Amino acid sequence: MAISCARGLGAAAAEAQFVARLTASAAAGDLLSGAALHTLYAKAYVPPTTFLANHLLLFYSRLALPALALRLFDETPLPNVFSHNALLAAHARDPRLASELFARIPDPDVVSFNTLLAAFASAGLAADALRLLSSMRLGGLAVDGFTVSSVVSAVTGIASVAQLHAYAVESGLDSYVSHGHGRRAMELFQDMARRGFTADACTLASVLSAFATAKDLVAGTGLHCRLIKSKFTRDPHVASGLVDLYAKCGSVQDAWKAFSEVDKPDLVLWNTLISGYSLHEDFSEEALLSFRAMQRAGFCPDDCSFVCVISACSNISSPSQGKQLHGLVIKSDIQSNQISVHNAMITLYSRSGKVVEAKMLFDRMTKRNTVSYNSIIAGFAQHGHAAEALKLFEGMLNSEYEPTGITFISVLSACAHTGKVDEGWDYFNSMKQKYDIDPCEEHYSCMIDLLARAKKFEEAEDLIMKMPFSLSSIGWTSLLGACRTHGNMELGARAAKEILHLSPSNASAPIVLSNMYASAGKWEEAAEIRKLMRDQGIRKKPGCSWIELGRTVHIFVANEVSHPRIKEVYRFLEVMSEKMKLAGYVPDVRWALAKDQAAEGEMRLRHHSEKLAVAFGLMNTKEGEPILVMKNLRICGDCHNAIKIISAITHREITVRDAHRFHFFNDGSCSCGDYW
């Protein structure tokens, strides 16, 4: 066979070739080819690893050959939980033997439980399935869609409606509900009502969560109205369901009203409110205020509290708040779900421009999971440190954790922002070939972004045509941004048209297109686009930048006049502009978007919001102290060039986080390598 020449290939190439052929054999049910591959593996034509042994186990499992799977498992020198799960799957037709194998797993994960649940369900062992689900939840494992499907199949066979009701209250509805099975939950609830059962607070809370999962605000509000005259709206369980419903449906004020109706909210209700606020970036401050109010009310935050409030803090990228929360986490000595809290802290540090601190926290973690790797890889990718991101990715591949679709989004993004086209294609192709992950629309968007940034527009268009689904506005927006960078007016106009078709109220597309025309001196076309925006009521989101000094956030907009010290900032920039010109800075008036390409354009550029925030930071911090500036839109090209020179003149490290990524300026250069 062709694989026999793998000895002359690199280990990675041989491994990929072996897995691809083995997967194809399993899909075709070809035992002969699979057995031949096993022989090659045994003779070490392919370097033996636990990873490859696991794929062989999967092969025998999928071909329903439990005896061969067991023999291979016994020969595996370092079996991991994946190995145990593959062996368990091979014996799923025998629930008794599957239970014995499950008991041998040192640290069963969600897949382990799901496999045994499926075995119980297929054999009609409802009571065993319910007991296993209860054990799973008591162990702190989060159920997923496969869990729900198996349990639903088992519960359907329960003859006693009383048993069904008990299960619904104790564990069923909140599990169906949590994983997108809202319709099934509603069917159970309606069946209970028809048979005369009285709904209690737990059941009602679960039904409300079903509406929240489906984002059915009309139905949820209808149930709320029916409950207003009862005592249930004051019950913390029901109120949690209402808060969750309104928050997920975007009615944040109504979520607060539902919370305020409860005289004595419990910790779960407080957490639901904080979580609801954290879902909306504009309400992140309210999440932090609610967290403090919860503490004043005498509650000690648990792991859920910390994850929710840290997520909210990540939205506002406040270094001071982040340090306070981290200190509180350490003092609280969270034990139950420490990994999730630390993962949230990694994201918080990364979004606050402190990716080095994020890496230090990651390195100190004694226990990690897939989310840990995903969080730190995403952090380095967002900061433009592609080499570090890809090195961490390789470290993940050498660990017990396999990459997920989320992992590849960060990896492909890192490639896109550093021009690594060939590497990007390799990673993209390996998703399905090596890890059996079907690329989703976001992965295709990353690839289109990668190709367009590298000026490979024909390849990008070809990929769009070959996609198994239509490109969303996010993908077209990535393409439009690259078109602006490289001046591809024709494709840019097409991308803008597609964006407006998919999202008529999207203001970014016509603005970018208008700016492209203005930069090219096509003022009539630019004016036409602006008129179209006015006629359709599309408003530009005002650009602003902000900087946190001490515990105070200072916000600036272009041509700022309201800040109490703005005159000092303008004078500082006038002096700095002269120094910058001596250092070689030439204002790029194309970004001024003004017909007058001289004094007016230069003045507009000087007073862009990010320059104002940087200037204010330099004025009010110690010599040599690094500063961090946030911006709600993409950084201006002229500001990017200017801040590079400012970092060299002032010998400062200046970090700017815009709507897309971080730019770390130091000694006249940027971490993005001007490839953004």
Side-chain angles (χ1 to χ4, degrees):
M1 297 176 65
I3 192 72
S4 63
C5 68
R7 183 177 302 190
L9 298 174
E15 191 176 86
Q17 189 180 4
F18 182 87
V19 170
R21 288 183 176 274
L22 191 60
T23 302
S25 298
D30 188 347
L31 176 60
L32 185 61
S33 295
L37 287 166
H38 190 176
T39 301
L40 290 171
Y41 172 80
K43 291 181 177 179
Y45 284 121
V46 177
T49 65
T50 301
F51 174 76
L52 293 178
N54 287 345
H55 277 277
L56 279 166
L57 278 168
L58 279 178
F59 171 77
Y60 289 125
S61 173
R62 289 171 180 172
L63 268 65
L65 297 169
L68 292 175
L70 181 59
R71 186 186 306 168
L72 175 62
F73 178 86
D74 291 338
E75 295 172 356
T76 302
L78 295 172
N80 55 23
V81 68
F82 190 99
S83 314
H84 282 279
N85 291 343
L87 180 64
L88 186 62
H91 292 79
R93 295 183 181 182
D94 185 343
R96 181 191 60 79
L97 184 54
S99 298
E100 294 177 4
L101 292 172
F102 177 87
R104 290 169 51 185
I105 304 177
D107 189 16
D109 61 8
V110 175
V111 177
S112 312
F113 278 92
N114 286 349
T115 305
L116 186 56
L117 277 170
F120 287 151
S122 63
L125 302 176
D128 290 314
L130 294 179
R131 279 195 294 270
L132 184 61
L133 175 64
S134 178
S135 172
M136 181 180 183
R137 301 182 71 197
L138 288 173
L141 285 175
V143 301
D144 61 15
F146 292 103
T147 316
V148 175
S149 300
S150 298
V151 176
V152 168
S153 299
V155 173
T156 302
I158 295 180
S160 169
V161 177
Q163 283 182 281
L164 180 60
H165 181 214
Y167 171 69
V169 171
E170 182 174 341
S171 62
L173 286 172
D174 62 340
S175 303
Y176 305 162
V177 169
S178 299
H179 298 275
H181 291 255
R183 184 182 297 277
R184 174 64 175 156
M186 285 305 303
E187 289 173 357
L188 284 174
F189 176 67
Q190 291 165 356
D191 185 57
M192 289 162 53
R194 282 193 299 269
R195 294 173 183 266
F197 287 101
T198 301
D200 60 12
C202 292
T203 308
L204 290 170
S206 296
V207 173
L208 286 167
S209 293
F211 291 133
T213 301
K215 295 188 177 180
D216 192 341
L217 183 59
V218 174
T221 303
L223 180 57
H224 188 187
C225 291
R226 291 167 55 189
L227 297 175
I228 285 178
K229 294 183 179 180
S230 71
K231 63 179 180 180
F232 282 122
T233 55
R234 297 182 180 277
D235 182 279
H237 294 293
V238 176
S240 291
L242 289 169
V243 171
D244 186 46
L245 166 73
Y246 287 123
K248 287 180 177 174
C249 292
S251 301
V252 185
Q253 296 296 344
D254 290 324
W256 161 249
K257 290 178 183 177
F259 173 88
S260 64
E261 290 181 5
V262 180
D263 296 326
K264 294 182 178 180
D266 59 12
L267 180 62
V268 173
L269 181 54
W270 276 109
N271 286 346
T272 306
L273 179 67
I274 296 168
S275 175
Y277 280 140
S278 70
L279 294 175
H280 305 275
E281 190 168 339
D282 293 342
F283 287 88
S284 298
E285 289 286 353
E286 283 77 0
L288 292 170
L289 293 173
S290 298
F291 180 79
R292 296 191 187 105
M294 180 189 77
Q295 291 178 288
R296 289 195 298 271
F299 291 97
C300 293
D302 62 4
D303 56 323
C304 181
S305 313
F306 279 117
V307 170
C308 293
V309 74
I310 291 170
S311 175
C313 193
S314 297
N315 292 336
I316 58 177
S317 302
S318 171
S320 63
Q321 297 278 9
K323 287 181 179 179
Q324 289 181 30
L325 284 173
H326 195 184
L328 189 57
V329 166
I330 294 172
K331 291 179 182 178
S332 300
D333 192 27
I334 297 294
Q335 296 295 331
S336 59
N337 198 7
Q338 198 173 56
I339 294 179
S340 294
V341 176
H342 285 163
N343 291 344
M345 284 302 310
I346 288 172
T347 300
L348 171 58
Y349 276 125
S350 295
R351 290 185 178 178
S352 299
K354 296 183 176 296
V355 72
V356 174
E357 286 84 347
K359 182 60 164 55
M360 290 173 60
L361 177 56
F362 175 83
D363 290 338
R364 287 200 300 266
M365 291 175 68
T366 55
K367 291 185 178 181
R368 300 170 182 154
N369 58 18
T370 301
V371 178
S372 311
Y373 276 96
N374 287 349
S375 300
I376 192 64
I377 291 171
F380 275 105
Q382 291 168 354
H383 282 76
H385 302 307
E388 290 85 349
L390 298 179
K391 183 179 179 181
L392 283 163
F393 177 61
E394 294 299 326
M396 181 183 189
L397 298 183
N398 293 326
S399 72
E400 60 183 301
Y401 306 108
E402 289 204 350
T404 65
I406 294 175
T407 316
F408 278 102
I409 289 174
S410 297
V411 169
L412 294 175
S413 177
C415 293
H417 287 91
T418 50
K420 297 181 180 296
V421 176
D422 292 337
E423 292 90 335
W425 273 121
D426 288 341
Y427 289 128
F428 182 77
N429 292 329
S430 72
M431 290 178 63
K432 183 63 179 176
Q433 295 174 359
K434 189 171 183 179
Y435 303 103
D436 199 26
I437 299 174
D438 291 313
C440 69
E441 193 274 333
E442 195 162 358
H443 297 112
Y444 278 95
S445 293
C446 288
M447 283 303 301
I448 292 166
D449 187 31
L450 167 60
L451 295 169
R453 286 175 182 274
K455 299 176 70 173
K456 297 182 179 293
F457 291 110
E458 290 185 4
E459 288 187 40
E461 290 186 90
D462 184 59
L463 184 59
I464 292 173
M465 296 297 294
K466 292 180 179 177
M467 283 175 57
F469 30 67
S470 299
L471 190 63
S472 72
S473 60
I474 297 174
W476 286 112
T477 299
S478 297
L479 184 61
L480 178 59
C483 288
R484 176 180 181 176
T485 300
H486 298 298
N488 190 329
M489 203 76 66
E490 182 179 349
L491 185 56
R494 179 192 165 196
K497 182 179 178 181
E498 294 287 348
I499 295 168
L500 289 174
H501 174 72
L502 295 167
S503 181
S505 61
N506 189 312
S508 64
I511 289 171
V512 171
L513 185 59
S514 173
N515 291 346
M516 287 177 68
Y517 284 132
S519 297
K522 297 184 177 182
W523 299 107
E524 292 184 5
E525 290 86 346
E528 186 177 337
I529 297 294
R530 297 284 181 171
K531 182 179 183 301
L532 177 66
M533 291 175 60
R534 290 193 299 271
D535 293 343
Q536 296 184 356
I538 300 175
R539 294 183 175 274
K540 177 184 178 182
K541 184 178 182 180
C544 68
S545 301
W546 61 96
I547 183 171
E548 182 183 62
L549 297 178
R551 296 185 181 180
T552 303
V553 177
H554 299 266
I555 303 174
F556 298 89
V557 297
N559 300 303
E560 174 69 68
V561 294
S562 60
H563 194 279
R565 298 181 60 190
I566 194 61
K567 291 184 178 178
E568 296 177 53
V569 174
Y570 283 161
R571 285 196 294 270
F572 180 91
L573 279 175
E574 287 178 8
V575 175
M576 182 59 65
S577 293
E578 296 304 316
K579 294 181 180 179
M580 290 162 60
K581 289 178 181 177
L582 290 174
Y585 166 68
V586 178
D588 189 348
V589 292
R590 293 176 301 172
W591 293 90
L593 307 177
K595 287 186 178 181
D596 181 358
Q597 298 282 301
E600 180 187 353
E602 185 175 339
M603 187 60 68
R604 284 193 184 189
L605 291 175
R606 186 183 301 173
H607 294 167
H608 276 189
S609 66
E610 52 265 63
K611 287 194 182 81
L612 299 178
V614 167
F616 189 79
L618 293 171
M619 292 166 52
N620 294 280
T621 53
K622 296 178 181 178
E623 196 74 25
E625 183 178 341
I627 62 174
L628 170 66
V629 168
M630 307 290 176
K631 185 177 180 180
N632 66 334
L633 302 177
R634 190 171 187 252
I635 188 173
C636 152
D638 178 75
C639 289
H640 189 272
N641 294 332
I643 298 173
K644 283 198 302 182
I645 294 177
I646 291 174
S647 71
I649 293 174
T650 60
H651 304 290
R652 295 285 198 107
E653 295 177 353
I654 304 172
T655 302
V656 177
R657 174 190 158 185
D658 68 7
H660 297 279
R661 60 189 295 99
F662 283 86
H663 296 269
F664 177 73
F665 300 94
N666 185 33
D667 197 25
S669 63
C670 178
S671 59
C672 73
D674 297 336
Y675 195 90
W676 55 281

